[in-house]
Amino acid sequence: MSVTQLIKESDTELQSESQHLEGEQAMPSTTYLEVKDLKIEASISMPGQERQSITLVDKISFTLGRGKVLGLIGESGAGKSTIGLASMAFGRGGCEITGGQMLVNGVDILKLSANEVRKIRGAKIGYVAQSAAAAFNPAHRIGEQVIESAIEHKLMTRKEALAYADELFAKLGLPDPKNFGRRYPHQVSGGQLQRAMTVMALCPKPDMIVFDEPTTALDVTTQIEVLATIKHAIQETGVAALYITHDLAVVAQIADDIMVLRGGKMIEYGSTDEIINKPQERYTQNLVSVRSIEKEEKPDPASEPILKVTNIDAAYDGVNKILKDVTLHLHAGQTLSIVGESGSGKSTLARVITGLLPPMGGAIEYDGTTLSADLKSRSKEQLRQLQMIYQMADVAMNPRQTIGQIIGRPIEFYFGVKGAEKRRQTIELLEQIELGEEYFHRYPAELSGGQKQRVCIARALAAKPSLIICDEVTSALDPLVADGILQLLMDLQNKHDIAYLFITHDLATVKAISDSIAVMYQGKLVRFGKKSVVLAPPFDDYTDMLLSSVPEMQLGWLERILAERKMHSADH
């Protein structure tokens, strides 16, 4: 099949087929993507065993109309992202599409050559990856990467692409949109980088976009604006979209239909109203009914806090302060949740506490001892006692090490345990995070996003710390697995008296696990205290907006909350 069937060409012999793919028939079909009996397999090998095949996606079928959104939801490893990538005729390393059809405008793209498929990717079908940090090249400016696809496919001139990118930066609420593209990826927050990737997908004006967890890294206030922008863009342009997520409340605001997946199989498929309000299958009913964790707030003990942060100022360039006079404390065996929008300084505070970023002023006191400002000046025991689980699991692990090596490293480094005992403890940790021994010899690239995050949790637990800083540790997990991880963390806290500094934008998690809460805005602490006090009115304006931004499992919630804010803004 000729590539002219996928892009506009002057060849008259193939013009009718080319028009078919471009959607230019006299009576165009309302269906853009049709998937029939899709089957995807992967080959794995264990030491001493023959290579064997496993089924990742098993005979999945669905249709996606122009201007419509299909939500794919399910637990980590359910096959959501694998299906999304397959819609671009792409399989991850070790994966192979072994059956079925992927019809784009009636043409099975699985039968096209590699060169023909490249003409589609980016131009006709855009992709917003789950981890923007791993998707952006750190050596190039954001703007250059955003416009690359539009220029490569000759859809716009460089000037036109830059102007449109600036327009999209503004629409998605990125700071200083005219100059935002001049920044490098490391110079923006995780949430800002995720929005920049959404701009990258929208820039070539594709016919379809695969959104793979596009709001995972966003705080709830920003999430509303991004969801509204994505929904408006879909309605305005008529683009079709696959929206992959583990958050059913989020997908309820944007999807027309929802497919629930588990273990590569379809569990339930129907309209958003049917899935949210009238789920038929037990698994779907469980997804709708989470969150199940409820933690009773612990009173502060008479003893001194295990962690004291006093009058901390911090900046990356030594001039422009990211943290401004931050003071808070955390008691042993308790959980302090730090919430705030993207760029508010939450992760920067974590870097200061761990010694990764020396502060400009103030002090960090741990268990009665003032810690050195920089990491290399701290003792090995201090390093062991204070562990961190990072926000972006993709870039927090060495891709050339196996999962067993990654988790086993702190066991050997801090305790000198080697050989069979080290392996036993590593497998025990794998079982605690619901992965099991079969993951011991796998590499990070062979895991889903949620599975990678669970490995990072196990690595931190391996050091047996007394304080763990959790930086968005459940953001990449589906609700059921996230509840399991949170319950695991709570059980470990009760058993070992571990303290958690929990950085998150998920206020449902905050309400479920916290003893104390700190609300940050633009580098300042605007509200701090016990959970029962912080979550009780009267609220300051920012905290009020933050609490009202938590997505609810109701159809039309997004439109309602945006309308309420518009009215509130008009009144003021």
Side-chain angles (χ1 to χ4, degrees):
M1 183 175 293
S2 172
V3 72
T4 54
Q5 292 179 279
L6 296 165
I7 57 175
K8 293 180 180 179
E9 296 286 347
S10 60
D11 191 318
T12 56
E13 184 179 355
L14 294 172
Q15 188 172 8
S16 61
E17 291 186 32
S18 179
Q19 289 176 342
H20 178 58
L21 278 160
E22 293 294 330
E24 294 175 353
Q25 309 99 309
M27 296 181 64
S29 170
T30 57
T31 299
Y32 182 77
L33 175 69
E34 185 175 6
V35 178
K36 295 182 178 180
D37 295 325
L38 179 66
K39 187 172 184 179
I40 302 174
E41 296 178 294
S43 59
I44 61 172
S45 62
M46 299 287 286
Q49 299 180 13
E50 292 185 5
R51 183 171 291 273
Q52 56 184 331
S53 294
I54 58 171
T55 300
L56 302 179
V57 175
D58 193 9
K59 294 184 178 180
I60 296 296
S61 300
F62 61 84
T63 59
L64 178 61
R66 302 172 190 280
K68 298 295 183 179
V69 182
L70 172 63
L72 298 180
I73 190 162
E75 64 188 30
S76 178
K80 307 183 299 294
S81 296
T82 303
I83 292 171
L85 291 170
S87 70
M88 300 184 294
F90 181 81
R92 287 173 170 157
C95 297
E96 184 180 0
I97 301 172
T98 57
Q101 294 177 295
M102 187 69 65
L103 304 174
V104 176
N105 266 350
V107 175
D108 189 356
I109 64 173
L110 300 181
K111 294 180 179 179
L112 301 181
S113 69
N115 186 55
E116 289 172 326
V117 169
R118 278 194 291 270
K119 299 290 185 180
I120 303 173
R121 294 175 186 160
K124 295 299 173 189
I125 303 178
Y127 181 71
V128 178
Q130 181 176 0
S131 174
F136 275 90
N137 188 325
H140 295 279
R141 297 182 190 274
I142 292 172
E144 294 299 322
Q145 298 181 68
V146 163
I147 67 171
E148 183 178 4
S149 186
I151 294 175
E152 180 69 21
H153 290 285
K154 297 180 173 58
L155 301 172
M156 302 178 192
T157 65
R158 176 181 172 81
K159 183 177 181 181
E160 290 170 340
L162 286 171
Y164 188 53
D166 289 348
E167 181 183 328
L168 290 171
F169 286 147
K171 282 186 177 180
L172 269 71
L174 288 161
D176 191 13
K178 292 292 183 183
N179 296 304
F180 183 83
R182 294 184 57 77
R183 300 185 187 185
Y184 288 91
H186 70 275
Q187 294 177 313
V188 302
S189 69
Q192 290 169 349
L193 199 58
Q194 194 69 30
R195 278 179 279 171
M197 188 156 197
T198 303
V199 173
M200 183 189 293
L202 289 169
C203 196
K205 300 182 180 180
D207 295 325
M208 180 181 126
I209 298 179
V210 179
F211 291 99
D212 194 349
E213 304 276 9
T215 61
T216 293
L218 304 181
D219 59 89
V220 290
T221 55
T222 306
Q223 179 176 252
I224 286 182
E225 303 300 330
V226 173
L227 283 174
T229 301
I230 291 173
K231 192 167 187 175
H232 177 70
I234 290 168
Q235 293 170 343
E236 191 177 65
T237 63
V239 67
L242 286 179
Y243 197 99
I244 298 164
T245 182
H246 59 262
D247 192 332
L248 196 51
V250 167
V251 81
Q253 309 311 317
I254 199 166
D256 299 289
D257 299 299
I258 295 174
M259 177 181 284
V260 181
L261 297 159
R262 189 182 191 189
K265 296 180 181 291
M266 184 190 74
I267 301 299
E268 195 163 352
Y269 179 28
S271 70
T272 300
D273 178 58
E274 290 170 338
I275 298 297
I276 299 297
N277 297 319
K278 294 166 282 191
Q280 300 299 307
E281 301 296 327
R282 175 63 62 86
Y283 179 73
T284 309
Q285 293 167 359
N286 290 339
L287 281 177
V288 172
S289 64
V290 296
R291 161 145 306 137
S292 61
I293 295 176
E294 291 185 11
K295 176 186 176 181
E296 186 175 336
E297 178 185 304
K298 297 178 183 176
D300 286 342
S303 59
E304 285 291 305
I306 193 171
L307 176 70
K308 286 184 179 180
V309 176
T310 307
N311 304 126
I312 288 293
D313 293 327
Y316 288 101
D317 59 5
V319 179
N320 300 300
K321 290 184 181 180
I322 305 298
L323 297 178
K324 305 164 187 174
D325 196 28
V326 175
T327 298
L328 49 79
H329 60 267
L330 170 61
H331 285 277
Q334 294 195 10
T335 301
L336 166 61
S337 292
I338 301 180
V339 297
E341 64 185 35
S342 177
S344 64
K346 307 185 300 295
S347 295
T348 299
L349 178 60
R351 291 175 66 84
V352 170
I353 293 171
T354 55
L356 293 172
L357 177 67
M360 296 174 65
I364 306 292
E365 189 176 318
Y366 179 77
D367 201 18
T369 302
T370 300
L371 295 176
S372 299
D374 62 311
L375 183 68
K376 61 184 179 181
S377 299
R378 296 183 183 181
S379 68
K380 187 175 181 179
E381 179 62 13
Q382 287 175 334
L383 296 178
R384 183 189 71 80
Q385 291 283 355
L386 202 162
Q387 293 290 308
M388 184 167 179
I389 306 169
Y390 295 92
Q391 179 179 1
M392 299 171 185
D394 276 306
V395 294
M397 294 186 287
N398 188 331
R400 296 189 176 185
Q401 290 186 342
T402 65
I403 302 307
Q405 290 174 315
I406 290 169
I407 298 175
R409 170 60 178 160
I411 296 174
E412 180 176 342
F413 180 76
Y414 289 117
F415 305 107
V417 177
K418 299 181 180 180
E421 177 60 18
K422 174 183 169 183
R423 179 186 172 88
R424 186 194 68 78
Q425 291 186 25
T426 302
I427 292 172
E428 184 179 301
L429 286 164
L430 280 169
E431 290 171 349
Q432 286 187 44
I433 59 170
E434 302 175 354
L435 291 182
E437 184 177 357
E438 61 268 28
Y439 286 82
F440 189 90
H441 292 288
R442 294 192 189 182
Y443 289 88
E446 299 176 287
L447 273 59
S448 69
Q451 290 167 341
K452 291 174 187 174
Q453 192 64 286
R454 281 184 273 172
V455 170
C456 289
I457 292 171
R459 179 174 57 185
L461 294 174
K464 299 180 181 178
S466 57
L467 170 62
I468 298 179
I469 298 176
C470 305
D471 192 353
E472 302 280 10
V473 296
T474 58
S475 64
L477 305 179
D478 64 89
L480 294 178
V481 175
D483 265 19
I485 293 299
L486 291 174
Q487 188 61 62
L488 171 63
L489 291 171
M490 294 302 100
D491 291 343
L492 289 165
Q493 184 177 67
N494 294 331
K495 185 177 180 179
H496 302 293
D497 211 31
I498 300 173
Y500 296 128
L501 189 69
F502 213 95
I503 298 169
T504 182
H505 62 260
D506 184 352
L507 288 176
T509 296
V510 169
K511 294 174 182 178
I513 68 168
S514 303
D515 297 296
S516 301
I517 299 173
V519 180
M520 295 189 68
Y521 179 61
Q522 294 184 347
K524 295 181 179 180
L525 198 64
V526 297
R527 198 173 177 92
F528 171 60
K530 301 301 290 184
K531 175 171 65 175
S532 57
V533 175
V534 172
L535 298 182
F539 301 115
D540 57 274
D541 288 344
Y542 180 70
T543 304
D544 185 42
M545 182 178 70
L546 198 65
L547 294 174
S548 68
S549 298
V550 182
E552 297 177 8
M553 202 102 55
Q554 298 175 357
L555 300 184
W557 171 84
L558 178 62
E559 288 77 7
R560 176 175 59 81
I561 199 71
L562 290 172
E564 288 177 359
R565 290 185 180 179
K566 189 174 182 180
M567 290 178 61
H568 179 77
S569 179
D571 291 339
H572 290 76

